[in-house]
Amino acid sequence: MNVQNIVVAGKSGAGKQPRVDVLVQTYGLRQLATGNIFREYLGTFNKVRGNSKTDGLWTDGKFAADAAIRQALAPACAKTGVDIDAAVLGFKAAQYVDRGRFVPDEITNALLAAAFRAGSGKGFVLDGYPRTPDQSDFLLALAKDCGTHIDLVLIVDNEDEAIVARTIGRRVCPNKTCAKVFHLQFKPPTPDGKCTACGTAVVQRSDDTEEKIRTRLAGIPKQGPARYPAPISRWHPHRVGPGNLPVFTDEAVRDSVLAVVQPALRS
């Protein structure tokens, strides 16, 4: 089966990652997660953060001119060899991520497009993008421009309190070549807190605190389940899968995903 791209959607912490893993393994796709892209740019900014004077560059939700941001970051970037354009984007993303807010479309679209084009616009499971109607429009236009398409949107549905419990128990392997995801209850690391795949000590993401996840959830409309924004849900096949399962094992997750996805891809 020739699958070009699948979007996995749902609230942050709904349980998307185990479903992404199934799709990657089953269809030979690669995960393209905006969260990972953000963390890469945030990491770049953090290399110069302590040696840069950024006070006054973000006030009441508004940024200073790019020239002012570049001027503030330039000395530290020159000293550390950090790409200043990446540092500027990282600085902008940090102002939202540090406060538990969603990064606005303009910044998110630019980061996603670079990664999508670098992979020729196909072979991806998109995770965490798109989240808004504008991002949906952008992705559809981007795929068309690359001569590809979106085969399916899989929506992972879950209740807010279950999401909070799942998120604060999540741990990740910081080794970029591994990046395996764990949960202290459902899929724990080793007893001494290390990755079962590579042995690296697992960590909690900075945005996986209860305060920040509740802030993100508060920004999502409460009407109905975690349905996906138009126009992707109208223009593309979309299916809803449960984020919570009676038995949470790798086999149970795989069976639940393929039971929803395979009939849709065959139709």
Side-chain angles (χ1 to χ4, degrees):
M1 184 179 297
N2 183 21
V3 178
Q4 291 198 350
N5 297 291
I6 297 177
V7 171
V8 176
K11 299 176 183 178
S12 178
K16 296 188 293 295
Q17 186 62 54
R19 282 77 188 171
V20 169
D21 291 342
V22 170
L23 296 171
V24 166
Q25 294 163 8
T26 303
Y27 298 108
L29 304 173
R30 294 157 289 162
Q31 182 177 6
L32 183 58
T34 49
N36 291 339
I37 297 173
F38 288 149
R39 279 183 280 277
E40 180 178 347
Y41 278 85
L42 290 170
T44 298
F45 170 59
N46 284 337
K47 292 178 182 178
V48 299
R49 189 173 199 160
N51 297 313
S52 301
K53 296 181 179 180
T54 58
D55 293 344
L57 296 178
W58 195 82
T59 305
D60 297 329
K62 295 182 179 180
F63 288 105
D66 279 0
I69 300 174
R70 293 175 67 90
Q71 183 177 7
L73 299 179
C77 286
K79 186 176 181 179
T80 58
V82 167
D83 180 78
I84 192 168
D85 292 326
V88 169
L89 281 173
F91 165 76
K92 290 182 176 181
Q95 308 316 304
Y96 296 92
V97 174
D98 288 352
R99 294 166 174 81
R101 301 179 184 177
F102 287 116
V103 179
D105 289 350
E106 180 181 358
I107 299 172
T108 303
N109 289 345
L111 298 178
L112 183 284
F116 194 77
R117 290 185 185 280
S120 300
K122 61 183 178 181
F124 291 118
V125 179
L126 289 97
D127 168 21
Y129 184 97
R131 291 185 184 274
T132 69
D134 285 345
Q135 289 180 8
S136 297
D137 286 335
F138 184 86
L139 177 59
L140 292 173
L142 179 63
K144 183 177 180 180
D145 189 56
C146 291
T148 60
H149 61 266
I150 308 300
D151 294 276
L152 175 70
V153 175
L154 173 63
I155 303 168
V156 182
D157 194 19
N158 215 331
E159 298 297 325
D160 284 5
E161 290 307 311
I163 289 174
V164 172
R166 176 184 294 276
T167 303
I168 61 178
R170 181 164 56 190
R171 298 293 185 272
V172 297
C173 176
N175 180 353
K176 290 185 177 180
T177 61
C178 178
K180 193 174 180 66
V181 180
F182 299 90
H183 189 277
L184 296 181
Q185 178 182 356
F186 303 117
K187 191 176 181 180
T190 64
D192 58 347
K194 294 183 178 179
C195 175
T196 58
C198 71
T200 303
V202 300
V203 298
Q204 184 179 35
R205 293 172 178 166
S206 62
D207 56 346
D208 275 356
T209 64
E210 181 171 352
E211 178 183 4
K212 288 183 178 179
I213 186 60
R214 288 193 183 279
T215 297
R216 291 197 296 272
L217 290 172
I220 299 174
K222 299 298 182 182
Q223 294 83 6
R227 300 297 179 182
Y228 213 58
I232 273 201
S233 62
R234 294 201 310 266
W235 295 359
H236 288 277
H238 65 284
R239 299 291 184 272
V240 180
N244 272 340
L245 299 174
V247 178
F248 195 86
T249 64
D250 289 344
E251 183 178 2
V253 173
R254 176 181 172 81
D255 289 346
S256 70
V257 171
L258 296 184
V260 172
V261 166
Q262 286 184 333
L265 290 175
R266 292 193 192 107
S267 61

